[in-house]
């Protein structure tokens, strides 16, 4: 079994590397045209254009890894069939399943690399790309946020405008609740500012209380008032990063923050499970490719590239359907994120079982 595994790896690794380069080149062509437009139409310096191009590579590699695994497995199995090596193995009593340990070890190793690209390199690449493009278009990276609200320690806070860039916080409403849920005080302020030494200060505000009949009673005005709010300005609002710039840990923090505010977290939970499910396409594609390759016999090698493209296309159709259904609340978010993986894994196991 050890010799068979080594022989498989010797043939697999070169094809896998070629597959990564091939599929990456195909996927990178479209954004490359866009970068060339920047160079020609906006006279962007070549070094800046090259930096933007480099930021495109890590996100695309996460798609090419499973495609390259599928191509390499089905190509090598097809090569073995054409050379009669599969038949010789069977005649000598060796099981085709001897390929599985080597395939799974490789695919799980690539899965770890893919997870690293997804969670470390790709978010940084997206963020870096946004910074570089801001230099091209002279745009502002930190927009003001409006209608920010959250709960903290039986207090409800509402900020009509939060401008972190200019350190402006305008039109604030603070509702303080008693333990029983009744409103204790209502504080409104036109402005607020934050200092690390003294904390939050509300300015130009009014304070009201509610009587037993629910009527508001004016308590007085203030020029400046200290407020025991533990969050920093950066923690007032959920992360303004788009989902592609967030790591799985950012998504977890976002979910916790949204749940504390009382907002719907279905989209975020769906994306969380997608981040876990996507790297598992590596071993699943490997199992499916092995099953298909064994079923096709000698014709597998010549059709390997086409089958890789078709399989990844079908997978991402299922993936998109599952994600959309999950975000719409039609199916559980866990099922939506793992729909494509589940179907492909069942199909791969079926083909391997059928081969027996």
């Amino acid at each position: 079994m050890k010799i068979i595994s080594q022989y498989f790896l010797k043939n697999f690794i070169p094809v896998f590397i070629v597959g990564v380069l091939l599929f990456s080149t195909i996927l990178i062509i479209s954004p490359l045209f866009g970068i060339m437009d920047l160079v020609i139409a906006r006279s962007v310096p070549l070094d800046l254009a090259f930096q933007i191009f480099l930021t495109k590579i890590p996100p695309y590699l996460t798609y090419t890894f499973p495609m390259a695994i599928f191509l390499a497995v089905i190509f090598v199995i097809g090569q073995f069939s054409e050379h009669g090596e599969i038949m010789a193995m069977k005649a000598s009593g060796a099981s085709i399943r001897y390929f599985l340990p080597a395939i799974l070890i490789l695919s799980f190793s690539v899965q770890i690399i893919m997870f690293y690209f997804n969670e470390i390199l790709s978010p940084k690449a997206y963020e870096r790309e946004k910074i570089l493009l801001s230099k091209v278009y002279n745009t502002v990276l930190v927009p003001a946020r409006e209608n920010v609200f959250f709960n903290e320690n039986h207090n409800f806070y509402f900020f009509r405008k939060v401008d972190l860039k200019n350190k402006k916080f305008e039109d604030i409403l603070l509702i303080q609740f008693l333990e029983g849920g009744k409103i204790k005080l209502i504080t409104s302020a036109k402005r607020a500012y934050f200092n690390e030494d003294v904390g939050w200060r509300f300015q130009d505000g009014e304070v009201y209380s509610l009587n037993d009949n629910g009527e508001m009673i004016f308590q007085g005005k203030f020029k400046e008032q200290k407020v025991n709010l533990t969050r920093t300005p950066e923690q007032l609002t959920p992360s303004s990063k788009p989902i592609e710039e967030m790591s799985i840990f950012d998504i977890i923090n976002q979910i916790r923050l949204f749940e504390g505010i009382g907002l719907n977290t279905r989209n975020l939970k769906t994306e969380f499970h997608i981040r876990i499910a996507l790297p598992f396409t590596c071993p699943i594609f490997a199992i499916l490719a092995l099953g298909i390759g064994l079923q096709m016999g000698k014709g597998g090698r010549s059709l390997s590239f086409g089958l890789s493209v078709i399989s990844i296309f079908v997978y991402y159709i299922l993936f998109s359907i599952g994600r959309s259904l999950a975000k719409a609340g039609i199916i559980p978010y866990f099922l939506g994120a793992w729909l494509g993986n589940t179907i492909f894994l069942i199909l791969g196991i079926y083909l391997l079982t059928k081969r027996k």
Side-chain angles (χ1 to χ4, degrees):
M1 183 176 71
K2 186 176 180 180
I3 295 176
I4 294 177
S5 297
Q6 290 176 347
Y7 184 59
F8 176 83
L9 292 177
K10 181 180 178 181
N11 289 271
F12 174 90
I13 294 176
V15 182
F16 172 74
I17 295 174
V18 171
V20 171
L21 296 175
L22 176 63
F23 289 122
S24 298
T25 302
I26 294 173
L27 292 176
I28 208 71
I29 287 176
S30 178
L32 184 59
F33 288 149
I35 294 173
M36 292 305 299
D37 288 341
L38 292 177
V39 174
I40 297 172
R42 301 188 66 90
S43 300
V44 173
L46 288 176
D47 61 332
L48 181 57
F50 182 69
Q51 292 180 56
I52 296 174
F53 172 75
L54 291 179
T55 63
K56 301 287 187 180
I57 296 177
Y60 281 111
L61 282 177
T62 61
Y63 292 97
T64 60
F65 285 147
M67 297 172 71
I69 286 180
F70 191 98
L71 172 65
V73 171
I74 203 170
F75 182 90
V76 172
I77 296 300
Q79 177 179 286
F80 288 171
S81 296
E82 289 184 11
H83 294 166
E85 292 167 305
I86 296 291
M87 189 67 69
M89 290 178 192
K90 292 180 64 178
S92 64
S95 173
I96 303 302
R97 288 177 297 177
Y98 287 171
F99 289 127
L100 272 177
I103 291 175
L104 291 178
I105 290 173
L106 267 173
S107 58
F108 277 114
S109 299
V110 175
Q111 175 184 339
I112 294 173
I113 297 173
M114 183 176 172
F115 185 83
Y116 175 76
F117 269 80
N118 266 343
E119 302 308 318
I120 305 297
L121 295 186
S122 293
K124 289 183 178 179
Y126 280 119
E127 187 174 356
R128 178 61 179 167
E129 179 188 8
K130 187 168 68 174
I131 294 173
L132 294 173
L133 289 176
S134 70
K135 295 180 180 179
V136 174
Y137 296 104
N138 297 317
T139 55
V140 178
L141 292 178
V142 185
R145 302 291 300 272
E146 295 186 352
N147 301 326
V148 174
F149 57 92
F150 56 89
N151 294 299
E152 182 179 277
N153 298 327
H154 302 289
N155 295 334
F156 175 88
Y157 295 87
F158 174 83
F159 289 73
R160 188 188 64 80
K161 185 176 181 180
V162 175
D163 188 348
L164 296 178
K165 185 176 185 299
N166 297 310
K167 303 297 183 182
K168 290 184 178 180
F169 311 93
E170 301 176 1
D171 297 335
I172 304 101
L173 180 67
L174 166 60
I175 303 177
Q176 297 172 276
F177 292 90
L178 298 172
E179 291 291 340
K182 293 183 178 181
I183 295 177
K184 177 183 177 182
L185 291 174
I186 300 175
T187 302
S188 64
K190 293 182 179 180
R191 291 174 300 278
Y193 73 90
F194 175 81
N195 184 290
E196 292 185 358
D197 296 326
V198 299
W200 284 94
R201 293 289 191 274
F202 285 5
Q203 296 178 322
D204 295 331
E206 298 178 348
V207 180
Y208 298 85
S209 63
L210 262 64
N211 61 21
D212 294 336
N213 296 324
E215 297 173 341
M216 295 182 63
I217 301 174
F218 178 71
Q219 297 292 326
K221 296 183 178 182
F222 61 86
K223 284 292 182 180
E224 184 172 296
Q225 178 175 298
K226 181 180 179 180
V227 178
N228 293 322
L229 176 59
T230 60
R231 301 188 186 192
T232 64
E234 289 75 16
Q235 295 172 328
L236 285 182
T237 63
S239 172
S240 59
K241 295 180 179 178
I243 196 70
E244 60 267 15
E245 291 182 25
M246 298 170 63
S247 69
I248 195 170
F249 306 105
D250 293 329
I251 294 175
I252 292 173
N253 292 331
Q254 189 96 321
I255 290 173
R256 290 173 179 170
L257 182 57
F258 272 32
E259 287 178 339
I261 298 174
L263 297 179
N264 191 321
T265 59
R266 174 171 290 276
N267 285 357
L268 287 170
K269 288 180 177 179
T270 301
E271 291 295 337
F272 168 77
H273 283 282
I274 285 173
R275 291 295 183 90
I276 298 176
L278 277 179
F280 277 93
T281 56
C282 293
I284 291 173
F285 266 58
I287 293 172
L288 179 61
L290 179 59
I292 294 176
L294 293 174
Q295 294 296 324
M296 295 194 66
K298 294 183 178 181
R301 185 168 67 160
S302 60
L303 297 174
S304 55
F305 178 78
L307 287 171
S308 301
V309 174
I310 293 172
S311 297
I312 200 75
F313 179 73
V314 172
Y315 173 82
Y316 281 110
I317 288 178
L318 294 173
F319 167 79
S320 299
I321 292 173
R323 179 169 61 179
S324 298
L325 291 176
K327 289 187 174 182
I330 298 175
I331 61 176
Y333 44 77
F334 178 85
L335 178 60
W338 290 85
L339 180 64
N341 285 9
T342 303
I343 293 175
F344 270 45
L345 180 60
I346 292 173
L347 180 59
I349 293 174
Y350 167 76
L351 291 174
L352 288 179
T353 305
K354 185 179 178 181
R355 183 67 186 178
K356 296 179 182 177

Coordinates of all heavy atoms in Angstrom, one line a residue, residues 8 12-13 15-21 23 61-77 102-114 278-290 304 308 311-312:
F8 N 1.3 7.1 -6.6 CA 0.3 8.0 -6.9 C 0.7 9.5 -6.6 O 0.5 10.4 -7.5 CB -1.0 7.7 -6.0 CG -2.1 8.7 -6.2 CD1 -3.0 8.5 -7.3 CD2 -2.3 9.7 -5.3 CE1 -4.0 9.4 -7.5 CE2 -3.3 10.7 -5.5 CZ -4.2 10.5 -6.6
F12 N 0.7 12.7 -9.0 CA -0.4 13.7 -8.6 C 0.2 15.1 -8.5 O -0.4 16.0 -9.1 CB -1.0 13.2 -7.3 CG -2.0 14.2 -6.8 CD1 -3.4 14.2 -7.1 CD2 -1.6 15.2 -5.9 CE1 -4.3 15.1 -6.6 CE2 -2.5 16.2 -5.4 CZ -3.8 16.1 -5.8
I13 N 1.3 15.2 -7.8 CA 1.8 16.6 -7.4 C 2.1 17.5 -8.6 O 1.6 18.6 -8.7 CB 3.0 16.5 -6.5 CG1 2.6 15.9 -5.1 CG2 3.6 17.8 -6.3 CD1 3.7 15.6 -4.2
V15 N 0.8 17.4 -11.6 CA -0.5 17.7 -12.3 C -1.3 18.7 -11.4 O -1.9 19.7 -12.0 CB -1.4 16.5 -12.6 CG1 -2.7 16.9 -13.3 CG2 -0.6 15.5 -13.4
F16 N -1.2 18.6 -10.1 CA -1.9 19.5 -9.2 C -1.3 20.9 -9.4 O -2.1 21.9 -9.5 CB -1.8 19.0 -7.8 CG -2.3 20.0 -6.8 CD1 -3.6 20.3 -6.6 CD2 -1.4 20.8 -6.0 CE1 -4.1 21.2 -5.7 CE2 -1.8 21.7 -5.1 CZ -3.2 21.9 -4.9
I17 N 0.0 21.0 -9.4 CA 0.7 22.3 -9.6 C 0.3 23.0 -10.9 O 0.0 24.2 -11.0 CB 2.2 22.2 -9.4 CG1 2.6 21.8 -8.0 CG2 2.9 23.5 -9.8 CD1 4.0 21.4 -7.8
V18 N 0.3 22.2 -12.0 CA -0.1 22.7 -13.3 C -1.5 23.1 -13.2 O -1.9 24.2 -13.8 CB 0.1 21.6 -14.4 CG1 -0.5 22.1 -15.7 CG2 1.6 21.3 -14.5
G19 N -2.4 22.4 -12.6 CA -3.8 22.7 -12.4 C -4.0 24.1 -11.7 O -4.8 24.9 -12.2
V20 N -3.3 24.3 -10.6 CA -3.4 25.6 -9.9 C -3.0 26.7 -10.8 O -3.7 27.7 -10.9 CB -2.5 25.5 -8.6 CG1 -2.5 26.9 -8.0 CG2 -3.1 24.5 -7.6
L21 N -1.9 26.6 -11.5 CA -1.4 27.6 -12.4 C -2.4 27.8 -13.6 O -2.7 29.0 -13.9 CB 0.0 27.3 -13.0 CG 1.1 27.2 -11.9 CD1 2.4 26.7 -12.6 CD2 1.3 28.5 -11.3
F23 N -5.8 27.1 -13.8 CA -7.1 27.6 -13.4 C -6.9 29.0 -12.9 O -7.8 29.9 -13.1 CB -7.8 26.7 -12.4 CG -8.3 25.4 -13.0 CD1 -7.8 24.2 -12.5 CD2 -9.2 25.4 -14.0 CE1 -8.3 23.0 -13.0 CE2 -9.7 24.2 -14.5 CZ -9.2 23.0 -14.0
L61 N -7.1 31.9 -5.7 CA -6.4 30.7 -5.4 C -7.4 29.8 -4.6 O -7.3 28.5 -4.7 CB -5.1 30.9 -4.6 CG -3.9 31.3 -5.5 CD1 -2.7 31.6 -4.6 CD2 -3.6 30.3 -6.5
T62 N -8.2 30.4 -3.8 CA -9.1 29.5 -3.0 C -10.1 28.8 -3.8 O -10.7 27.8 -3.4 CB -9.9 30.4 -2.0 OG1 -10.7 31.4 -2.7 CG2 -9.0 31.1 -1.0
Y63 N -10.4 29.3 -5.0 CA -11.3 28.6 -6.0 C -10.5 27.6 -6.8 O -11.1 26.6 -7.2 CB -12.0 29.6 -6.9 CG -12.9 30.5 -6.2 CD1 -12.6 31.8 -5.8 CD2 -14.3 30.1 -6.0 CE1 -13.5 32.6 -5.2 CE2 -15.2 30.9 -5.4 CZ -14.8 32.2 -4.9 OH -15.7 33.0 -4.3
T64 N -9.2 27.9 -7.1 CA -8.5 27.0 -8.0 C -8.0 25.7 -7.3 O -7.8 24.7 -7.9 CB -7.3 27.7 -8.5 OG1 -6.4 28.1 -7.5 CG2 -7.7 28.9 -9.4
F65 N -7.8 25.7 -5.9 CA -7.3 24.6 -5.2 C -8.2 23.3 -5.4 O -7.7 22.3 -5.8 CB -7.2 24.9 -3.7 CG -6.0 25.7 -3.4 CD1 -6.0 26.6 -2.4 CD2 -4.8 25.6 -4.2 CE1 -4.9 27.4 -2.1 CE2 -3.7 26.4 -3.9 CZ -3.7 27.3 -2.9
P66 N -9.5 23.4 -5.1 CA -10.4 22.2 -5.3 C -10.5 21.8 -6.8 O -10.5 20.6 -7.1 CB -11.8 22.6 -4.8 CG -11.7 24.1 -4.7 CD -10.3 24.5 -4.5
M67 N -10.5 22.8 -7.7 CA -10.5 22.5 -9.2 C -9.2 21.7 -9.6 O -9.3 20.7 -10.3 CB -10.6 23.8 -10.0 CG -11.9 24.5 -9.8 SD -11.9 26.2 -10.6 CE -12.0 25.7 -12.3
A68 N -8.1 22.2 -9.0 CA -6.8 21.5 -9.4 C -6.7 20.1 -8.8 O -6.2 19.2 -9.4 CB -5.6 22.4 -8.8
I69 N -7.3 19.9 -7.6 CA -7.3 18.6 -7.0 C -8.2 17.6 -7.8 O -7.8 16.5 -8.1 CB -7.9 18.6 -5.5 CG1 -6.8 19.2 -4.6 CG2 -8.3 17.3 -5.0 CD1 -7.3 19.3 -3.2
F70 N -9.3 18.1 -8.3 CA -10.2 17.3 -9.1 C -9.5 16.9 -10.4 O -9.5 15.8 -10.8 CB -11.5 18.1 -9.4 CG -12.6 17.2 -10.1 CD1 -13.6 16.7 -9.3 CD2 -12.5 17.0 -11.4 CE1 -14.6 15.9 -9.9 CE2 -13.5 16.2 -12.0 CZ -14.5 15.7 -11.2
L71 N -8.9 17.9 -11.0 CA -8.2 17.7 -12.3 C -7.0 16.6 -12.1 O -6.9 15.7 -12.9 CB -7.6 19.0 -12.8 CG -6.6 18.9 -14.0 CD1 -7.4 18.3 -15.2 CD2 -6.0 20.2 -14.3
A72 N -6.2 16.8 -11.0 CA -5.1 15.9 -10.8 C -5.5 14.5 -10.5 O -4.9 13.6 -11.1 CB -4.2 16.5 -9.7
V73 N -6.5 14.3 -9.7 CA -7.0 13.0 -9.3 C -7.5 12.3 -10.6 O -7.2 11.1 -10.9 CB -8.0 13.0 -8.2 CG1 -8.7 11.6 -8.0 CG2 -7.4 13.5 -6.9
I74 N -8.4 12.9 -11.3 CA -9.1 12.2 -12.4 C -8.1 12.0 -13.6 O -8.2 11.0 -14.3 CB -10.3 13.0 -12.9 CG1 -11.3 12.1 -13.6 CG2 -9.9 14.2 -13.7 CD1 -12.6 12.7 -13.9
F75 N -7.1 12.9 -13.7 CA -6.1 12.8 -14.7 C -5.2 11.6 -14.4 O -4.9 10.8 -15.3 CB -5.3 14.1 -14.9 CG -4.2 14.0 -15.9 CD1 -4.5 14.4 -17.2 CD2 -2.9 13.6 -15.7 CE1 -3.6 14.4 -18.2 CE2 -2.0 13.5 -16.7 CZ -2.3 13.9 -18.0
V76 N -4.7 11.5 -13.2 CA -3.8 10.4 -12.8 C -4.5 9.1 -12.9 O -3.9 8.1 -13.4 CB -3.2 10.7 -11.4 CG1 -2.4 9.5 -10.9 CG2 -2.3 11.9 -11.4
I77 N -5.8 9.0 -12.4 CA -6.5 7.7 -12.5 C -6.7 7.3 -13.9 O -6.6 6.2 -14.3 CB -7.8 7.9 -11.7 CG1 -7.6 8.1 -10.2 CG2 -8.7 6.6 -11.9 CD1 -6.8 7.0 -9.5
A102 N -3.6 8.3 0.5 CA -2.7 9.4 -0.1 C -3.5 10.6 -0.6 O -3.2 11.7 -0.4 CB -1.9 8.8 -1.3
I103 N -4.7 10.3 -1.2 CA -5.6 11.3 -1.7 C -6.1 12.2 -0.6 O -6.1 13.4 -0.7 CB -6.7 10.7 -2.6 CG1 -6.2 10.1 -3.9 CG2 -7.8 11.8 -2.9 CD1 -7.2 9.4 -4.7
L104 N -6.6 11.5 0.4 CA -7.2 12.3 1.6 C -6.1 13.1 2.3 O -6.4 14.2 2.7 CB -7.9 11.3 2.5 CG -9.1 10.6 1.9 CD1 -9.7 9.7 2.9 CD2 -10.2 11.7 1.6
I105 N -4.9 12.5 2.5 CA -3.9 13.3 3.2 C -3.5 14.5 2.4 O -3.4 15.6 3.0 CB -2.6 12.4 3.4 CG1 -2.9 11.3 4.5 CG2 -1.4 13.2 3.8 CD1 -1.8 10.3 4.6
L106 N -3.4 14.4 1.1 CA -3.1 15.5 0.3 C -4.2 16.5 0.3 O -3.9 17.7 0.4 CB -2.8 15.0 -1.2 CG -1.4 14.8 -1.6 CD1 -1.3 14.1 -2.9 CD2 -0.5 16.0 -1.5
S107 N -5.4 16.1 0.1 CA -6.5 17.0 0.0 C -6.8 17.7 1.3 O -7.1 18.9 1.3 CB -7.8 16.3 -0.4 OG -8.1 15.2 0.5
F108 N -6.6 17.1 2.5 CA -6.7 17.7 3.8 C -5.6 18.7 4.0 O -5.8 19.8 4.6 CB -6.8 16.7 4.9 CG -8.1 16.1 5.1 CD1 -8.4 14.8 4.9 CD2 -9.2 16.9 5.5 CE1 -9.6 14.2 5.1 CE2 -10.5 16.4 5.7 CZ -10.7 15.0 5.5
S109 N -4.4 18.4 3.5 CA -3.3 19.4 3.6 C -3.6 20.6 2.8 O -3.4 21.8 3.2 CB -2.0 18.7 3.1 OG -1.7 17.6 3.8
V110 N -4.1 20.4 1.6 CA -4.5 21.6 0.7 C -5.7 22.3 1.4 O -5.8 23.6 1.3 CB -4.9 21.1 -0.7 CG1 -5.4 22.3 -1.5 CG2 -3.7 20.5 -1.4
Q111 N -6.5 21.6 2.1 CA -7.7 22.3 2.8 C -7.2 23.2 3.8 O -7.7 24.3 4.0 CB -8.5 21.2 3.4 CG -9.7 21.8 4.3 CD -10.5 20.7 5.0 OE1 -10.4 19.5 4.6 NE2 -11.1 21.1 6.0
I112 N -6.1 22.8 4.5 CA -5.5 23.7 5.6 C -5.0 25.0 4.9 O -5.1 26.1 5.4 CB -4.5 23.0 6.4 CG1 -5.1 21.9 7.2 CG2 -3.7 24.0 7.3 CD1 -4.1 21.0 7.9
I113 N -4.3 24.8 3.8 CA -3.7 25.9 3.0 C -4.9 26.8 2.5 O -4.8 28.1 2.6 CB -2.9 25.4 1.8 CG1 -1.7 24.6 2.4 CG2 -2.4 26.6 1.0 CD1 -0.9 24.0 1.3
M114 N -5.9 26.2 2.0 CA -7.1 27.0 1.5 C -7.7 27.8 2.7 O -8.1 28.9 2.5 CB -8.1 26.0 0.9 CG -9.3 26.7 0.3 SD -10.4 25.5 -0.5 CE -11.8 26.5 -1.0
L278 N -16.5 25.7 2.6 CA -15.7 25.8 1.4 C -14.4 25.0 1.4 O -14.1 24.3 0.4 CB -15.5 27.3 1.0 CG -16.6 28.0 0.3 CD1 -16.3 29.4 0.1 CD2 -16.9 27.3 -1.0
P279 N -13.5 25.1 2.4 CA -12.3 24.3 2.4 C -12.5 22.8 2.3 O -11.7 22.1 1.8 CB -11.6 24.7 3.7 CG -12.2 26.0 4.0 CD -13.6 26.0 3.6
F280 N -13.7 22.3 2.7 CA -13.9 20.9 2.7 C -14.2 20.4 1.2 O -14.4 19.2 1.0 CB -15.1 20.5 3.6 CG -14.7 20.3 5.0 CD1 -14.8 21.4 5.9 CD2 -14.3 19.1 5.4 CE1 -14.4 21.2 7.2 CE2 -13.9 18.9 6.8 CZ -13.9 20.0 7.7
T281 N -14.3 21.4 0.3 CA -14.5 21.0 -1.1 C -13.2 20.2 -1.6 O -13.3 19.4 -2.5 CB -14.7 22.2 -2.0 OG1 -13.6 23.1 -1.8 CG2 -16.0 22.9 -1.7
C282 N -12.1 20.4 -0.9 CA -10.9 19.8 -1.4 C -11.0 18.2 -1.2 O -10.8 17.5 -2.2 CB -9.7 20.3 -0.6 SG -9.3 22.1 -1.0
P283 N -11.2 17.7 0.0 CA -11.3 16.2 0.1 C -12.6 15.7 -0.6 O -12.5 14.6 -1.1 CB -11.4 16.0 1.6 CG -11.8 17.3 2.2 CD -11.2 18.4 1.3
I284 N -13.6 16.5 -0.6 CA -14.9 16.0 -1.3 C -14.7 15.9 -2.8 O -15.1 14.9 -3.4 CB -16.0 16.9 -0.9 CG1 -16.4 16.8 0.5 CG2 -17.3 16.6 -1.8 CD1 -17.4 17.7 1.0
F285 N -14.0 16.9 -3.4 CA -13.7 16.8 -4.8 C -12.8 15.7 -5.1 O -12.8 15.1 -6.2 CB -13.1 18.2 -5.3 CG -14.2 19.1 -5.8 CD1 -15.2 19.5 -5.1 CD2 -14.1 19.6 -7.1 CE1 -16.2 20.4 -5.6 CE2 -15.0 20.4 -7.7 CZ -16.1 20.8 -6.9
A286 N -11.8 15.4 -4.2 CA -10.9 14.3 -4.4 C -11.6 13.0 -4.5 O -11.4 12.1 -5.3 CB -9.8 14.3 -3.3
I287 N -12.5 12.8 -3.5 CA -13.3 11.5 -3.5 C -14.2 11.4 -4.7 O -14.2 10.3 -5.4 CB -14.2 11.5 -2.2 CG1 -13.3 11.4 -1.0 CG2 -15.2 10.3 -2.2 CD1 -14.0 11.5 0.3
L288 N -14.8 12.5 -5.1 CA -15.7 12.4 -6.3 C -14.9 12.2 -7.6 O -15.3 11.4 -8.4 CB -16.5 13.8 -6.5 CG -17.4 13.9 -7.7 CD1 -18.5 12.8 -7.6 CD2 -18.0 15.3 -7.8
A289 N -13.7 12.8 -7.7 CA -12.9 12.7 -8.9 C -12.4 11.2 -9.0 O -12.3 10.6 -10.0 CB -11.7 13.6 -8.8
L290 N -12.0 10.6 -7.8 CA -11.6 9.2 -7.8 C -12.7 8.3 -8.3 O -12.5 7.4 -9.1 CB -11.1 8.8 -6.4 CG -10.7 7.4 -6.2 CD1 -9.5 7.0 -7.1 CD2 -10.3 7.1 -4.8
S304 N -10.4 14.9 -18.5 CA -10.2 15.4 -17.2 C -10.4 16.9 -17.0 O -11.1 17.3 -16.1 CB -8.8 15.0 -16.7 OG -7.8 15.6 -17.6
S308 N -13.5 18.6 -14.9 CA -13.1 19.5 -13.8 C -13.9 20.8 -13.8 O -14.5 21.3 -12.9 CB -11.6 19.9 -13.8 OG -10.9 18.7 -13.6
S311 N -17.7 20.0 -13.3 CA -18.0 19.7 -11.9 C -18.0 20.9 -11.0 O -18.9 21.1 -10.1 CB -17.0 18.7 -11.4 OG -17.1 17.5 -12.1
I312 N -17.0 21.8 -11.1 CA -16.9 23.0 -10.3 C -18.0 23.9 -10.6 O -18.6 24.6 -9.8 CB -15.5 23.7 -10.5 CG1 -15.3 24.6 -9.3 CG2 -15.4 24.5 -11.8 CD1 -14.9 24.0 -8.1

